[in-house]
């Protein structure tokens, strides 16, 4: 028996995203507008706990993935900070036949080529956050 997939579950934070506090209401408005523009069925967002580096809500969404088309994040900056954490997310999504989208950046992840792009962006973000080396003051 094949499970009917229904919609894209939103995912928002109640903590800072890349150093900025973005109200959940604003995150949800962006998700709703993105879903409407892309003609995706938007499902009410799951909100991550305020605790630093917590991904308990995101991890709990794994059980719901078989019934979803995918997850819709407000931003790429909400991904787990570790390569291993992101890999677990990608593997769970792909094994359930789901996709991953980022509304703010208008990016979609549906295969390993897309994952490579996301991981390149994450590496660039890490490198750009480091202070320059070897510059004379």
């Amino acid at each position: 028996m094949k499970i009917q997939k229904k919609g894209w579950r939103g995912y928002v934070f109640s903590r800072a995203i890349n150093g900025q506090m973005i109200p959940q209401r604003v995150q949800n408005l962006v998700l709703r507008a993105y879903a409407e523009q892309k003609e995706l069925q938007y499902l009410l967002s799951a909100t991550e706990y305020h605790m630093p580096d917590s991904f308990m809500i995101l991890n709990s969404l794994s059980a719901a993935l078989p019934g979803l088309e995918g997850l819709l994040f407000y931003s790429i900056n909400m991904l787990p900070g570790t390569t291993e954490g992101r890999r677990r997310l990608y593997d769970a999504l792909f094994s359930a036949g789901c996709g991953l989208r980022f509304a703010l950046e208008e990016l979609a992840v549906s295969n390993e080529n897309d994952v490579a792009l996301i991981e390149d962006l994450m590496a660039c973000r890490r490198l750009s956050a480091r202070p320059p080396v070897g510059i004379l003051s």
Side-chain angles (χ1 to χ4, degrees):
M1 182 172 136
K2 187 175 179 179
I3 296 174
Q4 173 124 9
K5 298 213 177 254
K6 182 183 177 191
W8 292 79
R9 174 71 59 208
Y11 178 69
V12 299
F13 268 7
S14 59
R15 60 180 184 252
I17 300 169
N18 203 27
Q20 301 284 320
M21 287 303 297
I22 311 295
Q24 292 174 37
R25 182 174 188 272
V26 171
Q27 293 177 57
N28 280 309
L29 286 170
V30 170
L31 291 177
R32 189 172 296 118
Y34 175 86
E36 187 176 300
Q37 175 191 15
K38 303 293 183 185
E39 299 181 355
L40 305 174
Q41 182 183 3
Y42 170 64
L43 303 174
L44 187 63
S45 293
T47 304
E48 191 56 74
Y49 290 120
H50 187 72
M51 299 175 290
D53 300 319
S54 171
F55 291 96
M56 292 177 8
I57 298 301
L58 179 59
N59 294 335
S60 73
L61 288 174
S62 293
L65 289 176
L68 298 173
E69 291 178 59
L71 298 179
L72 180 54
F73 281 44
Y74 168 74
S75 172
I76 190 175
N77 294 310
M78 297 167 63
L79 282 169
T82 66
T83 303
E84 298 80 21
R86 292 190 302 276
R87 184 76 255 171
R88 278 192 302 274
L89 173 63
Y90 304 141
D91 291 345
L93 287 162
F94 295 156
S95 69
C98 292
L100 175 62
R101 291 182 180 228
F102 304 97
L104 193 62
E105 297 85 2
E106 294 196 15
L107 293 171
V109 177
S110 59
N111 58 48
E112 289 298 330
N113 288 335
D114 298 335
V115 168
L117 172 64
I118 297 300
E119 290 303 308
D120 285 348
L121 289 170
M122 297 298 285
C124 288
R125 188 179 81 181
R126 277 191 311 278
L127 290 171
S128 68
R130 293 184 191 167
V133 177
I135 294 180
L136 300 175
S137 44

